[in-house]
Coordinates of all heavy atoms in Angstrom, one line a residue:
R106 N 121.9 84.5 119.6 CA 120.7 84.1 119.1 C 119.8 85.2 119.6 O 119.7 85.7 120.6 CB 120.4 82.8 120.0 CG 121.4 81.6 119.5 CD 121.2 80.5 120.5 NE 120.0 79.8 120.3 CZ 119.7 78.8 119.6 NH1 120.6 78.3 118.8 NH2 118.5 78.3 119.6
G107 N 118.8 85.5 118.6 CA 117.9 86.5 118.8 C 116.5 86.0 118.8 O 116.2 84.9 118.4
I108 N 115.7 86.9 119.5 CA 114.1 86.5 119.5 C 113.3 87.8 119.4 O 113.7 88.9 119.9 CB 113.9 85.7 120.8 CG1 112.5 85.1 120.7 CG2 114.0 86.5 122.0 CD1 112.3 84.0 121.9
T109 N 112.3 87.7 118.7 CA 111.2 88.8 118.6 C 109.9 88.3 118.5 O 109.7 87.1 118.3 CB 111.7 89.9 117.6 OG1 110.8 91.0 117.7 CG2 111.4 89.2 116.2
F110 N 108.9 89.2 118.8 CA 107.4 88.7 118.8 C 106.5 89.8 118.1 O 106.9 90.9 118.1 CB 107.0 88.7 120.3 CG 107.8 87.8 121.1 CD1 109.0 88.2 121.8 CD2 107.3 86.5 121.4 CE1 109.7 87.3 122.6 CE2 108.0 85.5 122.2 CZ 109.2 86.1 122.8
L124 N 112.2 92.7 111.2 CA 112.7 91.4 111.2 C 114.1 91.4 110.5 O 115.1 91.0 111.1 CB 111.8 90.4 110.5 CG 110.4 90.2 111.1 CD1 109.5 89.3 110.1 CD2 110.7 89.5 112.5
T127 N 116.4 93.3 113.1 CA 116.7 92.3 114.3 C 117.7 91.3 113.9 O 118.7 91.0 114.6 CB 115.3 91.6 114.7 OG1 114.4 92.6 115.1 CG2 115.6 90.6 115.8
R128 N 117.5 90.7 112.7 CA 118.6 89.7 112.3 C 120.0 90.3 112.0 O 120.9 89.5 112.2 CB 118.0 89.1 110.9 CG 118.8 87.9 110.5 CD 118.7 86.7 111.4 NE 119.2 85.5 110.9 CZ 120.4 85.3 110.5 NH1 121.3 86.2 110.8 NH2 120.8 84.1 109.9
C131 N 121.9 89.6 115.3 CA 122.1 88.3 115.7 C 122.4 87.4 114.5 O 122.5 87.9 113.4 CB 120.9 87.8 116.5 SG 119.4 87.9 115.5
W133 N 121.0 84.1 114.5 CA 119.9 83.2 114.2 C 118.8 83.8 115.0 O 118.9 84.4 116.0 CB 120.4 81.9 115.1 CG 119.3 80.9 115.0 CD1 119.3 79.9 114.1 CD2 118.3 80.6 116.0 NE1 118.3 79.0 114.3 CE2 117.7 79.4 115.6 CE3 117.8 81.3 117.1 CZ2 116.6 79.0 116.0 CZ3 116.7 80.8 117.7 CH2 116.0 79.6 117.2
L134 N 117.6 83.7 114.3 CA 116.4 84.5 114.8 C 115.1 83.7 114.9 O 114.7 83.0 114.0 CB 116.1 85.7 114.0 CG 114.9 86.5 114.2 CD1 115.0 87.2 115.5 CD2 114.7 87.6 113.1
A135 N 114.5 83.6 116.1 CA 113.3 83.0 116.3 C 112.1 84.0 116.5 O 112.5 85.0 117.1 CB 113.3 82.0 117.5
V136 N 111.1 83.7 115.9 CA 110.1 84.8 116.0 C 108.8 84.2 116.6 O 108.2 83.2 116.0 CB 109.7 85.4 114.6 CG1 108.6 86.4 114.7 CG2 111.0 85.8 113.8
G137 N 108.4 84.8 117.6 CA 107.1 84.3 118.3 C 105.9 85.0 117.6 O 105.9 86.3 117.5
I138 N 105.0 84.2 117.1 CA 103.9 84.8 116.4 C 102.7 84.7 117.4 O 102.4 83.7 117.9 CB 103.5 83.9 115.0 CG1 104.7 83.7 114.2 CG2 102.3 84.6 114.3 CD1 105.2 84.9 113.5
V163 N 105.8 84.5 107.8 CA 107.0 85.1 108.5 C 108.1 84.0 108.4 O 109.3 84.3 108.2 CB 106.7 85.3 110.0 CG1 107.9 85.7 110.7 CG2 105.7 86.5 110.1
C168 N 115.4 86.1 106.5 CA 115.9 86.6 107.8 C 115.4 85.9 109.1 O 115.9 86.2 110.2 CB 115.6 88.1 107.9 SG 114.0 88.7 107.8
V169 N 114.6 84.9 108.8 CA 113.9 84.1 110.0 C 114.3 82.7 110.0 O 114.2 82.2 109.0 CB 112.3 84.4 110.0 CG1 111.6 83.5 111.0 CG2 112.0 85.8 110.1
D170 N 114.8 82.3 111.0 CA 115.2 80.9 111.2 C 114.2 80.0 111.8 O 114.2 78.9 111.5 CB 116.6 80.8 112.0 CG 117.6 81.6 111.4 OD1 118.1 81.2 110.3 OD2 117.9 82.7 111.8
E171 N 113.4 80.4 112.8 CA 112.4 79.6 113.3 C 111.2 80.5 113.7 O 111.3 81.6 114.1 CB 113.0 79.0 114.5 CG 112.0 77.9 115.2 CD 112.8 76.9 115.9 OE1 114.0 76.6 115.7 OE2 112.2 76.1 116.7
V172 N 110.0 79.9 113.6 CA 108.8 80.5 114.1 C 108.1 79.5 115.2 O 108.2 78.4 115.2 CB 107.8 80.9 113.1 CG1 108.2 82.1 112.3 CG2 107.3 79.8 112.2
F173 N 107.4 80.2 116.2 CA 106.6 79.4 117.2 C 105.5 80.3 117.6 O 105.4 81.5 117.2 CB 107.6 79.1 118.4 CG 108.1 80.3 119.2 CD1 107.5 80.7 120.3 CD2 109.1 81.0 118.7 CE1 107.9 81.9 121.0 CE2 109.7 82.2 119.4 CZ 109.0 82.6 120.5
Y184 N 110.0 81.8 126.9 CA 110.5 81.5 125.5 C 111.8 81.9 125.3 O 112.5 81.2 124.5 CB 109.6 82.4 124.6 CG 108.0 82.3 124.5 CD1 107.1 83.3 124.9 CD2 107.6 80.9 124.5 CE1 105.7 83.0 125.0 CE2 106.2 80.6 124.5 CZ 105.3 81.7 124.8 OH 103.9 81.5 124.9
F188 N 114.6 79.1 123.8 CA 115.4 79.3 122.5 C 116.8 79.8 122.8 O 117.5 80.2 121.8 CB 114.6 80.3 121.6 CG 113.5 79.6 121.0 CD1 112.1 79.9 121.5 CD2 113.5 78.6 119.9 CE1 111.0 79.4 121.0 CE2 112.3 78.0 119.5 CZ 111.2 78.4 120.0
A190 N 117.8 82.5 123.9 CA 118.1 83.8 123.2 C 119.1 84.7 124.1 O 119.0 84.8 125.3 CB 116.8 84.5 122.9
I192 N 119.4 88.0 122.9 CA 118.9 89.5 122.5 C 117.4 89.2 122.3 O 117.0 88.5 121.3 CB 119.7 90.1 121.5 CG1 119.2 91.6 121.3 CG2 119.8 89.3 120.1 CD1 120.1 92.5 120.5
L193 N 116.7 90.2 122.9 CA 115.2 90.3 122.6 C 115.0 91.6 121.9 O 115.5 92.6 122.4 CB 114.4 90.3 123.9 CG 112.9 90.7 123.7 CD1 112.1 90.0 122.8 CD2 112.3 90.8 125.1

Side-chain angles (χ1 to χ4, degrees):
R106 297 167 69 91
I108 194 164
T109 188
F110 298 86
L124 294 171
T127 299
R128 188 62 169 70
C131 56
W133 183 91
L134 176 60
V136 183
I138 311 286
V163 173
C168 55
V169 173
D170 298 289
E171 184 154 345
V172 291
F173 64 98
Y184 300 129
F188 291 99
I192 181 168
L193 164 64

